[in-house]
Every structure is written in C-alpha cells, then in structure tokens.
Amino acid sequence: MKVHVIYAHPLTDSLAAHLHRVTVDSLVQAGHEVDDLDLYADNFDPVLSPEDRRDYHDTAINQRKVAGYVERLQSCEGLVLCHPVWNFGWPAILKGYFDRVFLPDVSFKLVDGQVSPGLKNIRKLATVTTYGSKRWRAAVLGDAPRKNGTRFLRVVCHPRVKVRYHALYDINNATPERTDAYIAKIRAEMLKF
C-alpha cells in the first residue's frame, strides 16, 4: 500500500521527530511504499493568500499553486499524520496545509449543493501525536485535534476508511518508561497498518 506520511515539527531532535522516524521506518519495514512529507523541511507555505481564497471555489485554477501536494495526497491509499498538539490544535503549518490543499475537487466534491468525499482513495488513516496536557483537560476543551483526526478527516476519505488515533498525553510529566511504551505501541501499530 502507498502511505502518505505528513509530518509537522520544526526540531529534528524532538520526541515528535523520533516518532516520525519510527512511523516511517515501521511502515517501510511492513512493506509499504512511503511518501514522506516533512512540511518544515519542504518549506511549505501555510498562508492562504487573498488570491488563494478568491480562487478557492474555482476548480479550474484552485490547485495550481499546490498541485504537487494534491497529487501526492490523491495517489495514496493510507494517510498518517505525525505532529504535536500545540495550544489544543494542529501546528500552524499543518493547519495551513489543510487550508491550502484540502480544496473543492480535492478533499470534497460539491455538485448541485451536495457535498461528497473527494479522497475515496484513502482507506486507512492514522494520527501519531503528543499533548502537553492531560487527557481529561483536552477532553474538557473539546479535544479538537482528536475530532479533526477522527471525524473531519474521516468524512473526506473512503466511506469505510479505518481510522486510528494514537496520542501520548501529558508529555511534560511522562516517565521514560511511559514514553518508551508509547514508541513501542506506535512501532507495532505501523507494522500492522
């Protein structure tokens, strides 16, 4: 299976970077073809410009600036997001990716006022993430990243997409043993992706 991994963290020596490497290495070890996108290393521009917003619904031209990213997204059968949760949301660069790449005729079809999924090619979806807060605090605040990773993305993919959400909460207080257990869990999950 071709799996598109989208990674969003600026530091190469972070826990997120380690989880990203484990994710990619495990997917490759499992025999998947991996298309790895590091948004920071790729210098992805997350800013939706006034021109981009004006062209958003014009499907004849809305993809022109992000065509390579659209092609990568449309050519995969699996999608894995690797990112931290910052301020109870996606990192800005990842949010900008969705704003700029998840366009009409890409992530959704809009015909006669009816919306339907545009990424029916994606049959498996997973998120690998970390939170600074405890899970209960994220839940009280609505846990938008979890909802985005399991609900928003689900509705734009294949109707029977399999969704997994892996989160290590309270990383500021995580023991080395708990962190190692989470890394081992991610390795095992990606080996059976």
Side-chain angles (χ1 to χ4, degrees), residues 70-143:
V70 168
E71 183 180 318
R72 293 170 81 171
L73 188 61
Q74 291 177 331
S75 70
C76 67
E77 298 163 281
L79 178 63
V80 179
L81 303 181
C82 292
H83 63 84
V85 169
W86 288 337
N87 297 305
F88 296 99
W90 282 329
I93 198 167
L94 183 59
K95 175 63 169 81
Y97 170 89
F98 287 111
D99 289 346
R100 296 199 60 218
V101 179
F102 275 49
L103 299 163
D105 270 5
V106 176
S107 66
F108 65 97
K109 308 291 181 183
L110 183 59
V111 179
D112 297 325
Q114 298 297 314
V115 177
S116 63
L119 294 171
K120 292 181 181 177
N121 52 296
I122 299 176
R123 294 175 170 272
K124 288 190 174 184
L125 173 63
T127 298
V128 175
T129 192
T130 57
Y131 289 69
S133 76
K134 296 179 184 310
R135 182 153 186 194
W136 69 265
R137 182 179 298 231
V140 166
L141 295 172
D143 205 346

Side-chain angles (χ1 to χ4, degrees), residues 142-156:
D143 205 346
R146 180 179 286 273
K147 288 179 182 173
N148 284 334
T150 61
R151 296 180 189 178
F152 157 64
L153 291 177
R154 177 188 302 261
V155 300
V156 300

